[in-house]
Amino acid sequence: MSEAPLLSAERVSMRFGGLRALDEVSIELAPRQVVGLIGPNGSGKSTFINVVSRIYEPNSGRVMFDGRDMAGVPLHRVSMLGISRTFQNVRLFATMTVHDNLVVGDTPAMRTGILGAGLALPSVRREERAIEDKVARVAELLGLTPYLQRLSGSLPYGLQKLVELGRALMPDPRLVLLDEPVAGMNPADKRALSVALSRVRKSRDVAFLLVEHDMTFVMSLVEYLYVLNFGKLIAKGAPEQVQADPQVIAAYLGGGSRAED
């Protein structure tokens, strides 16, 4: 890696009782890079994302983000530090509009607080205008402008996934963790998400860590791949190189493994 890593996980281990979900896993990701993390079901991929996003505290090892040790960082500060994520299952507020779901994505960055909002201070109005501008930019980038006043729960699944991506982009993150973004999608929705991610990469200073089973989707986007199996890192490198690795082929043909996905 030619430049200092944006994200660096150093020998990270995570246990659940007697089960070792991650076993001294080391992964690096540079600014603006798209990195894939693949492996059979239960190989520890989602566990790794949950460690990076501070849902889990690892039992050992270290996660560094932009030169900062993430140990002890509370969950509510992760977004403020520049890390956002999506989830395997859509986690939108179904009875709220697309607009309001996007606004929620930037809530951790709001500074004026309840008292300032109640008093309608000028700083509150400036902040509200800034958020509205950000909503408009994100919606335009992802093709969501026509749907801003629609209830999120009324949208087709593919559009809901785009709204979730938009919400992750609202805090202007430097790293977005994508946890199986095309799970359950039809081919047209997958193409739409791929196009949207390409537009985001061209217009924003953001890196992506992509966990996904759909290898066609993965190979169309990533620059570098890591492969997990039974919580261990078994391969890494350029996508074409990793795809041809005998250990990777054996892991996929041999079925799933036992750790949390």
Side-chain angles (χ1 to χ4, degrees):
M1 190 172 292
S2 58
E3 57 184 318
L6 176 66
L7 176 73
S8 176
E10 304 168 5
R11 303 183 69 177
V12 169
S13 293
M14 185 76 218
R15 294 186 299 275
F16 299 101
L19 177 65
R20 182 163 291 204
L22 296 172
D23 191 356
E24 296 195 343
V25 173
S26 297
I27 287 176
E28 286 191 353
L29 183 147
R32 300 173 299 280
Q33 190 178 26
V34 180
V35 169
L37 179 61
I38 65 171
N41 284 330
S43 59
K45 305 181 300 296
S46 290
T47 300
F48 182 81
I49 279 190
N50 286 336
V51 166
V52 173
S53 58
R54 299 290 304 154
I55 292 175
Y56 297 152
E57 183 77 51
N59 297 111
S60 61
R62 183 170 71 162
V63 176
M64 303 288 293
F65 178 70
D66 199 19
R68 173 175 181 155
D69 192 335
M70 296 293 287
V73 172
L75 182 60
H76 69 271
R77 287 192 56 81
V78 171
S79 177
M80 298 172 70
L81 293 177
I83 300 176
S84 291
R85 68 168 295 174
T86 64
F87 294 85
Q88 292 180 25
N89 301 313
V90 174
R91 296 193 180 183
L92 299 175
F93 296 99
T95 58
M96 290 170 54
T97 63
V98 170
H99 170 278
D100 290 348
N101 268 279
L102 294 179
V103 170
V104 167
D106 205 36
T107 299
M110 296 179 70
R111 297 180 175 85
T112 52
I114 296 174
L115 179 60
L119 295 175
L121 298 176
S123 59
V124 175
R125 292 194 292 273
R126 286 194 298 271
E127 188 171 82
E128 288 174 346
R129 286 195 297 271
I131 291 174
E132 289 299 323
D133 288 345
K134 196 179 289 188
V135 167
R137 291 196 302 270
V138 168
E140 183 177 9
L141 181 63
L142 299 181
L144 293 172
T145 304
Y147 309 101
L148 281 173
Q149 299 309 317
R150 291 271 301 273
L151 295 181
S152 295
S154 72
L155 297 178
Y157 183 69
L159 284 174
Q160 290 187 34
K161 283 282 194 174
L162 285 175
V163 176
E164 189 171 45
L165 173 61
R167 189 170 62 184
L169 293 173
M170 281 294 293
D172 295 321
R174 297 192 63 198
L175 171 63
V176 177
L177 310 171
L178 299 172
D179 194 356
E180 298 195 25
V182 300
M185 278 191 176
N186 62 41
D189 288 339
K190 291 178 183 179
R191 287 193 295 272
L193 181 58
S194 180
V195 169
L197 288 171
S198 296
R199 287 201 301 267
V200 172
R201 292 196 66 202
K202 290 176 182 177
S203 64
R204 300 211 166 196
D205 181 16
V206 61
F208 291 96
L209 178 61
L210 170 65
V211 166
E212 183 52 63
H213 286 288
D214 187 318
M215 287 306 298
T216 301
F217 184 81
V218 170
M219 295 292 285
S220 71
L221 289 170
V222 305
E223 304 161 52
Y224 200 85
L225 268 178
Y226 291 90
V227 186
L228 289 175
N229 194 31
F230 290 101
K232 287 183 174 290
L233 190 64
I234 62 169
K236 61 181 181 178
E240 297 80 8
Q241 170 192 344
V242 169
Q243 259 197 327
D245 189 296
Q247 286 193 86
V248 176
I249 295 170
Y252 273 100
L253 294 179
S257 48
R258 62 192 176 188
E260 178 190 350
D261 189 30

